[in-house]
Amino acid sequence: MRGASASFSPQGPGGLMQMFLDGRPRTRSEVVQLTGLARSTVGQRVEALQSIGLLEPIGEAASTGGRPSARFAFNPQARVVVGADIGATHGHVALTDLLGRPLCEIAEPITITDGPAPVLDWLATTTERLLTQSGRDRTDLVGIGIGLPGPVEHSTGRPMQPPIMPGWDRYDVPHHLATALHLDTGSPSDGSPGSPGSATGPVPVLVDNDVNIMALGEHAAAHPHVQHLLFVKVATGIGAGIISGGRLHRGAVGAAGDLGHVAAPGHAQVLCRCGNTGCLEAVAGGPAITTSLHAHGITATSNQDIVQLVRSGSIPTAHAVRQAGRTIGEVLATCVSLLNPSVIVIGGSLAGAGESLIAGVREVVYGRSLPLATSDLQIVPATTGRQAGVIGAATMVTQHVLTADRIDHAIATRGAIA
Amino acid sequence: MRGASASFSPQGPGGLMQMFLDGRPRTRSEVVQLTGLARSTVGQRVEALQSIGLLEPIGEAASTGGRPSARFAFNPQARVVVGADIGATHGHVALTDLLGRPLCEIAEPITITDGPAPVLDWLATTTERLLTQSGRDRTDLVGIGIGLPGPVEHSTGRPMQPPIMPGWDRYDVPHHLATALHLDTGSPSDGSPGSPGSATGPVPVLVDNDVNIMALGEHAAAHPHVQHLLFVKVATGIGAGIISGGRLHRGAVGAAGDLGHVAAPGHAQVLCRCGNTGCLEAVAGGPAITTSLHAHGITATSNQDIVQLVRSGSIPTAHAVRQAGRTIGEVLATCVSLLNPSVIVIGGSLAGAGESLIAGVREVVYGRSLPLATSDLQIVPATTGRQAGVIGAATMVTQHVLTADRIDHAIATRGAIA
């Protein structure tokens, strides 16, 4: 399969658009040269993509004699996306362009335990406010992406037995939002995609867990060309998001990346809230660190406290964080042997604790993994910080709506991209 | 991304062929109905696919009045593939059809330590013998797939620091075979794909490690519709092949699935031949089992001896094998949490030891993994047995040559599929 499916497939305007997603402007003649398509075909496809706003003329190329040629480029402002990062106690929503770049944002405290209706009504209202703030029309919105703090069945958008989200189990999140915002999501339960009554065409609502969303955000924003990446969130809980072959690996029931309850070697006696013993998050998560600091007479009540203590030079705290990093590293060494990623990104609220955490991870992973698997491995801190969630949620939507098939479908129907 | 890229893309004959790969016969009218393509377009594409032999008429559909309609189906006999499974002391080569089903096979002892030239010359001669035996012409051959007992850089077909293959490090396996068989492999180092001097068109030579090949074979033959599968080889060494989203996950440098040197919890004192301690294969591989049997006064000198002892009712051997299964299960529990497969297949020469091995694996995996990840998890023995390697090697080739792009390219050029 090497290279076969990644090769450029020039059929249809949607296929041609894939080439322009790199952001580089090209003239029609350059496209003819790059694709081998007939000049008239290129002209028609460029026109079709212009008609739905995805391509725009951006001035003329330097001429080698004769008339100068118009250059066209991807217009990421053509439509907007909502990316939402819903945590236990915070809601962070961004309106982004088609590259997942935030145009405006709203972050407010919410309470996930209030249940799905008030939280999703808040998200719907916030979406309306962001559209108004940015002066964009409802018809400009091509999709909504949502990250939730628990397991989600991505294919239906329903949370699955989420431990910290009472009332959310199997709740139909896309349906609630679609109703609140009068959207046609184009999902099978709505009947045919893009029913004639909708002015906007289908606007999909896609949902996933917060760690997968952060992995997508960090991959898109900081490592777009990396094929195999492991994103590890280290906070109160510990989890991972896996990029395999450039795509998110969700697993059979969407449970992939659940590292928090993997056995941490040598800690069989530590009880975990899941009912098992020796789980990684019970040994190396935020609460485990605060407990170990307590034994040193140091009081930390939050992950932020731990980060502050490390930054202010508390040596016992730096030691405790580094030891947590080593324990996480023992589990990650197995992940490296299994997956052979080229980049591991460490994110989450404890990643702010300077180099202490990541140094512990590196120490064990490089010591324990096979030389071949670590020959080109980088272990780096996350760079998107608090924005990883909203960027990732928006990226989930743009990857969904900017495929060749969906662009062709949009052109063939009403010009809505979805 | 849900469903987007998996949807049927009807452009070109190659795209249409993807629909027929399921083996079901269809009339032109049925294709028109299924794809929405114009009747004339369907006629042209069916004719193009017939011209290179991939589709063949197979009698007529029952008519509802008027003339009966011709039905067409995928003809997997149109071309042949060579699948080779090269081990430390055995070579097993099959000529297969385009579904990877063996038509004839040759298995002979070889010595991998003789180095690449004699082994690959043997493979070239064996390929010629199989073509002659089956009465197929060299021009019928569309590709050669090879599994080798060590790490391989799949993109170049070169072994990478293989521990038991002296003389093979970075050896250009495809080039050697192409020269010996006078093939044009279509690889970039040969210049343009399909040089005019070749009667057969490009015949790619694809290489991977033996465990990845077995994973492909078991997936294709026994679990073709499973998206997420983990194949585990338990023999002298221990390794895994990962199917993620229906495709083989090879990792950044092709080292994915290397479970043999992952730390087995609680065995930090056991020395491994890799220079590290506590590695899974040093604790639970064949030699570790024979050592533990020796302490009971039981002599076993090979994995086959161990399997025979279990089958003949040796309780200490069954105990030792079950304990090895438990240790393997501890590492697999982490793999389950990380990857969330729906099927784990246990293969390799020790998998023949009845239920003892797999019972140990199940005991620990179901006890240790999270309920959500194991809710639909099956842990089953391999079914392809000694044929897994050759079927997988042939499958690697058919997946490569039967893509839409390559079929379209074949039709546009000389009718060779590659």
Side-chain angles (χ1 to χ4, degrees), chain B residues 77-82 95-96 103 127-143 181 183 198-201 203:
Chain B
Q77 315 291 327
R79 298 287 194 285
V80 291
V81 173
V82 164
L95 196 74
T96 80
L103 305 172
T127 297
E128 306 268 21
R129 284 163 60 198
L130 287 168
L131 286 168
T132 307
Q133 258 185 42
S134 61
R136 303 297 296 238
D137 196 82
R138 178 82 69 81
T139 55
D140 287 348
L141 182 65
V142 294
L181 286 166
L183 303 174
S198 156
T200 57
V203 180

Side-chain angles (χ1 to χ4, degrees), chain A residues 221-242:
Chain A
H223 308 276
H225 303 297
V226 170
Q227 289 293 301
H228 301 291
L229 177 146
L230 189 64
F231 177 89
V232 184
K233 175 188 160 185
V234 185
T236 302
I238 295 174
I242 302 163

